[in-house]
Structures are given as structure tokens and as C-alpha cells.
Amino acid sequence: MSPSVNPELDLTISRVIKAPRSAIWRAWTDRASFEQWWVPAPARCKVQEMELRPGGSLVTLLSENGGDFVPHLRGCFLAIDELERLVFTNSLVGGWRPAEEPFMTAIITLREHPQGTDYVAHVMHKSNADRTMHEKMGFHDGWGTVTEQLARLVERRS
């Protein structure tokens, strides 16, 4: 079960992706696929760690303009419900250890839809200031772009 959206603290992206849930699930859980869509192109992503279990780490690196890879996301999976839901946070790192700079928790849900999959990314923040900062950093453009990249990847494969 996902918590309801609190407009003071949360941001969401949702769309219907014309591909089966299994294709989207693979794109989220297969390192090579994840690297193809997780950051807005032309930037590139490298998965350093992806332990798909509650308490497992998720660590990604980012390369912009062909430069060196630098830290991007360091987090922890909280829940893995196959083909239905992924929950991760950067408030913890792998092994349930507290993170230095907690910022958000994301719940990714996949539900059957007559045209494919109803995809929702629900991103929760600890304060309205963090939510507003994330929005001003370009949440809708960034998460919207990667959702579009994810859709193109899985729709092409399906």
C-alpha cells in the first residue's frame, strides 16, 4: 500500500507506458537497462551497486558531457514487491545505515492498464522546503525526462 500524496511534501510523475509491467520491472531491476534511462540524456549513468532486497544499496554515478563519473544517488531499497512496487530512499544507505544528507523517499508503482502499465513515481520529502527545492531543481523536467526515456526503452522492446 502506498501512502496518499501530500501536496505540501510530495511530488509525483505518472503516465501510461505502452508496455507490460514485466518490461518496466526489468528496466528498473536490470543494471544495464537502468543505466540506459535513469539520468536525462545526454548525461550517462553507471550503476555502482544495486542490491534488490530490503536494506540493499542503490548507488549510481553520473557523467555529464563525457566527463568523469561522479556520485549521483546513494540510497537504500526499503521494499521490493515484484512487478508491483519499488521503494527506495536516500535517507538510508545499504544495510539500513543512516545517510548524511537525507532528502527523499520514492515509491514506484506499476499497475495493469488496458494500454499497458500505469506508472507512478511518488517522491516524498521531509519538509515543504525540501519539496520546493526539489521542484525548483527541476523535478518535473528531470523525472519527466527519465520517465519518457524509460517509456521509449520498454515500448521499443515490447
mmCIF file of all heavy atoms in Angstrom, residues 109-129:
data_model
loop_
_atom_site.group_PDB
_atom_site.id
_atom_site.type_symbol
_atom_site.label_atom_id
_atom_site.label_comp_id
_atom_site.label_asym_id
_atom_site.label_seq_id
_atom_site.Cartn_x
_atom_site.Cartn_y
_atom_site.Cartn_z
ATOM 1 N N THR A 109 5.236 2.657 -8.491
ATOM 2 C CA THR A 109 4.191 1.638 -8.578
ATOM 3 C C THR A 109 3.857 1.359 -10.040
ATOM 4 O O THR A 109 3.858 2.262 -10.883
ATOM 5 C CB THR A 109 2.907 2.048 -7.827
ATOM 6 O OG1 THR A 109 2.452 3.306 -8.311
ATOM 7 C CG2 THR A 109 3.149 2.132 -6.336
ATOM 8 N N LEU A 110 3.588 0.085 -10.282
ATOM 9 C CA LEU A 110 3.217 -0.396 -11.608
ATOM 10 C C LEU A 110 1.882 -1.118 -11.478
ATOM 11 O O LEU A 110 1.761 -2.049 -10.687
ATOM 12 C CB LEU A 110 4.274 -1.371 -12.136
ATOM 13 C CG LEU A 110 5.738 -0.929 -12.081
ATOM 14 C CD1 LEU A 110 6.644 -2.062 -12.513
ATOM 15 C CD2 LEU A 110 5.957 0.297 -12.945
ATOM 16 N N ARG A 111 0.892 -0.673 -12.266
ATOM 17 C CA ARG A 111 -0.422 -1.316 -12.244
ATOM 18 C C ARG A 111 -0.868 -1.588 -13.675
ATOM 19 O O ARG A 111 -0.570 -0.812 -14.587
ATOM 20 C CB ARG A 111 -1.441 -0.414 -11.548
ATOM 21 C CG ARG A 111 -1.172 -0.273 -10.060
ATOM 22 C CD ARG A 111 -2.351 0.358 -9.334
ATOM 23 N NE ARG A 111 -2.114 0.373 -7.917
ATOM 24 C CZ ARG A 111 -1.495 1.346 -7.261
ATOM 25 N NH1 ARG A 111 -1.033 2.381 -7.897
ATOM 26 N NH2 ARG A 111 -1.335 1.276 -5.944
ATOM 27 N N GLU A 112 -1.612 -2.682 -13.825
ATOM 28 C CA GLU A 112 -2.147 -3.027 -15.140
ATOM 29 C C GLU A 112 -3.021 -1.890 -15.655
ATOM 30 O O GLU A 112 -3.745 -1.246 -14.888
ATOM 31 C CB GLU A 112 -2.985 -4.304 -15.052
ATOM 32 C CG GLU A 112 -2.195 -5.553 -14.719
ATOM 33 C CD GLU A 112 -1.237 -5.976 -15.824
ATOM 34 O OE1 GLU A 112 -1.492 -5.687 -17.015
ATOM 35 O OE2 GLU A 112 -0.218 -6.599 -15.485
ATOM 36 N N HIS A 113 -2.947 -1.656 -16.952
ATOM 37 C CA HIS A 113 -3.767 -0.658 -17.623
ATOM 38 C C HIS A 113 -4.140 -1.237 -18.981
ATOM 39 O O HIS A 113 -3.343 -1.958 -19.574
ATOM 40 C CB HIS A 113 -2.971 0.646 -17.780
ATOM 41 C CG HIS A 113 -3.781 1.767 -18.328
ATOM 42 N ND1 HIS A 113 -4.013 1.928 -19.679
ATOM 43 C CD2 HIS A 113 -4.418 2.786 -17.703
ATOM 44 C CE1 HIS A 113 -4.755 2.997 -19.859
ATOM 45 N NE2 HIS A 113 -5.019 3.546 -18.676
ATOM 46 N N PRO A 114 -5.334 -0.959 -19.502
ATOM 47 C CA PRO A 114 -5.728 -1.520 -20.800
ATOM 48 C C PRO A 114 -4.724 -1.244 -21.928
ATOM 49 O O PRO A 114 -4.608 -2.023 -22.859
ATOM 50 C CB PRO A 114 -7.078 -0.848 -21.091
ATOM 51 C CG PRO A 114 -7.608 -0.462 -19.759
ATOM 52 C CD PRO A 114 -6.404 -0.167 -18.896
ATOM 53 N N GLN A 115 -3.973 -0.147 -21.825
ATOM 54 C CA GLN A 115 -2.993 0.193 -22.859
ATOM 55 C C GLN A 115 -1.576 -0.219 -22.489
ATOM 56 O O GLN A 115 -0.640 0.082 -23.218
ATOM 57 C CB GLN A 115 -3.031 1.683 -23.155
ATOM 58 C CG GLN A 115 -4.354 2.131 -23.735
ATOM 59 C CD GLN A 115 -4.389 3.629 -23.958
ATOM 60 O OE1 GLN A 115 -3.650 4.384 -23.344
ATOM 61 N NE2 GLN A 115 -5.263 4.055 -24.852
ATOM 62 N N GLY A 116 -1.384 -0.863 -21.349
ATOM 63 C CA GLY A 116 -0.041 -1.262 -20.920
ATOM 64 C C GLY A 116 0.083 -1.232 -19.412
ATOM 65 O O GLY A 116 -0.476 -2.061 -18.709
ATOM 66 N N THR A 117 0.811 -0.216 -18.908
ATOM 67 C CA THR A 117 1.077 -0.120 -17.475
ATOM 68 C C THR A 117 0.860 1.299 -16.989
ATOM 69 O O THR A 117 1.346 2.255 -17.598
ATOM 70 C CB THR A 117 2.537 -0.533 -17.172
ATOM 71 O OG1 THR A 117 2.735 -1.875 -17.627
ATOM 72 C CG2 THR A 117 2.845 -0.465 -15.692
ATOM 73 N N ASP A 118 0.133 1.421 -15.883
ATOM 74 C CA ASP A 118 0.001 2.703 -15.201
ATOM 75 C C ASP A 118 1.235 2.840 -14.314
ATOM 76 O O ASP A 118 1.440 2.045 -13.394
ATOM 77 C CB ASP A 118 -1.285 2.718 -14.376
ATOM 78 C CG ASP A 118 -1.533 4.053 -13.716
ATOM 79 O OD1 ASP A 118 -1.054 5.087 -14.225
ATOM 80 O OD2 ASP A 118 -2.218 4.067 -12.675
ATOM 81 N N TYR A 119 2.073 3.811 -14.606
ATOM 82 C CA TYR A 119 3.358 4.010 -13.930
ATOM 83 C C TYR A 119 3.267 5.271 -13.086
ATOM 84 O O TYR A 119 2.893 6.339 -13.582
ATOM 85 C CB TYR A 119 4.453 4.164 -14.984
ATOM 86 C CG TYR A 119 5.817 4.480 -14.446
ATOM 87 C CD1 TYR A 119 6.685 3.457 -14.075
ATOM 88 C CD2 TYR A 119 6.262 5.793 -14.324
ATOM 89 C CE1 TYR A 119 7.945 3.743 -13.591
ATOM 90 C CE2 TYR A 119 7.522 6.085 -13.834
ATOM 91 C CZ TYR A 119 8.350 5.064 -13.477
ATOM 92 O OH TYR A 119 9.605 5.341 -12.985
ATOM 93 N N VAL A 120 3.603 5.160 -11.797
ATOM 94 C CA VAL A 120 3.581 6.318 -10.906
ATOM 95 C C VAL A 120 4.873 6.356 -10.103
ATOM 96 O O VAL A 120 5.272 5.355 -9.501
ATOM 97 C CB VAL A 120 2.376 6.280 -9.933
ATOM 98 C CG1 VAL A 120 2.405 7.479 -8.988
ATOM 99 C CG2 VAL A 120 1.060 6.227 -10.694
ATOM 100 N N ALA A 121 5.511 7.523 -10.107
ATOM 101 C CA ALA A 121 6.655 7.798 -9.234
ATOM 102 C C ALA A 121 6.186 8.835 -8.219
ATOM 103 O O ALA A 121 5.867 9.969 -8.581
ATOM 104 C CB ALA A 121 7.846 8.316 -10.035
ATOM 105 N N HIS A 122 6.111 8.436 -6.969
ATOM 106 C CA HIS A 122 5.642 9.284 -5.864
ATOM 107 C C HIS A 122 6.871 9.560 -4.996
ATOM 108 O O HIS A 122 7.429 8.641 -4.408
ATOM 109 C CB HIS A 122 4.563 8.521 -5.096
ATOM 110 C CG HIS A 122 4.075 9.202 -3.864
ATOM 111 N ND1 HIS A 122 3.234 8.577 -2.993
ATOM 112 C CD2 HIS A 122 4.282 10.434 -3.330
ATOM 113 C CE1 HIS A 122 2.948 9.374 -1.991
ATOM 114 N NE2 HIS A 122 3.585 10.515 -2.182
ATOM 115 N N VAL A 123 7.284 10.812 -4.951
ATOM 116 C CA VAL A 123 8.514 11.183 -4.240
ATOM 117 C C VAL A 123 8.145 12.043 -3.035
ATOM 118 O O VAL A 123 7.556 13.121 -3.176
ATOM 119 C CB VAL A 123 9.498 11.909 -5.180
ATOM 120 C CG1 VAL A 123 10.787 12.252 -4.443
ATOM 121 C CG2 VAL A 123 9.801 11.034 -6.403
ATOM 122 N N MET A 124 8.508 11.546 -1.854
ATOM 123 C CA MET A 124 8.148 12.192 -0.594
ATOM 124 C C MET A 124 9.367 12.883 0.017
ATOM 125 O O MET A 124 10.482 12.367 -0.069
ATOM 126 C CB MET A 124 7.595 11.154 0.380
ATOM 127 C CG MET A 124 6.384 10.421 -0.166
ATOM 128 S SD MET A 124 5.717 9.165 0.945
ATOM 129 C CE MET A 124 7.061 7.991 0.963
ATOM 130 N N HIS A 125 9.117 14.018 0.648
ATOM 131 C CA HIS A 125 10.179 14.810 1.273
ATOM 132 C C HIS A 125 9.836 15.055 2.736
ATOM 133 O O HIS A 125 8.660 15.013 3.111
ATOM 134 C CB HIS A 125 10.333 16.147 0.542
ATOM 135 C CG HIS A 125 10.585 15.975 -0.919
ATOM 136 N ND1 HIS A 125 9.560 15.795 -1.840
ATOM 137 C CD2 HIS A 125 11.734 15.910 -1.624
ATOM 138 C CE1 HIS A 125 10.078 15.651 -3.036
ATOM 139 N NE2 HIS A 125 11.397 15.714 -2.942
ATOM 140 N N LYS A 126 10.850 15.350 3.539
ATOM 141 C CA LYS A 126 10.618 15.532 4.972
ATOM 142 C C LYS A 126 10.031 16.899 5.315
ATOM 143 O O LYS A 126 9.461 17.093 6.381
ATOM 144 C CB LYS A 126 11.899 15.279 5.766
ATOM 145 C CG LYS A 126 13.004 16.291 5.578
ATOM 146 C CD LYS A 126 14.237 15.912 6.398
ATOM 147 C CE LYS A 126 15.381 16.849 6.213
ATOM 148 N NZ LYS A 126 15.909 16.988 4.884
ATOM 149 N N SER A 127 10.165 17.857 4.403
ATOM 150 C CA SER A 127 9.651 19.203 4.670
ATOM 151 C C SER A 127 9.178 19.845 3.374
ATOM 152 O O SER A 127 9.586 19.442 2.278
ATOM 153 C CB SER A 127 10.747 20.070 5.298
ATOM 154 O OG SER A 127 11.780 20.311 4.345
ATOM 155 N N ASN A 128 8.362 20.876 3.523
ATOM 156 C CA ASN A 128 7.919 21.624 2.353
ATOM 157 C C ASN A 128 9.108 22.317 1.691
ATOM 158 O O ASN A 128 9.163 22.436 0.471
ATOM 159 C CB ASN A 128 6.844 22.641 2.747
ATOM 160 C CG ASN A 128 6.360 23.422 1.548
ATOM 161 O OD1 ASN A 128 6.808 24.546 1.331
ATOM 162 N ND2 ASN A 128 5.466 22.831 0.775
ATOM 163 N N ALA A 129 10.087 22.737 2.496
ATOM 164 C CA ALA A 129 11.281 23.385 1.929
ATOM 165 C C ALA A 129 12.030 22.417 1.014
ATOM 166 O O ALA A 129 12.474 22.806 -0.071
ATOM 167 C CB ALA A 129 12.189 23.882 3.049
#
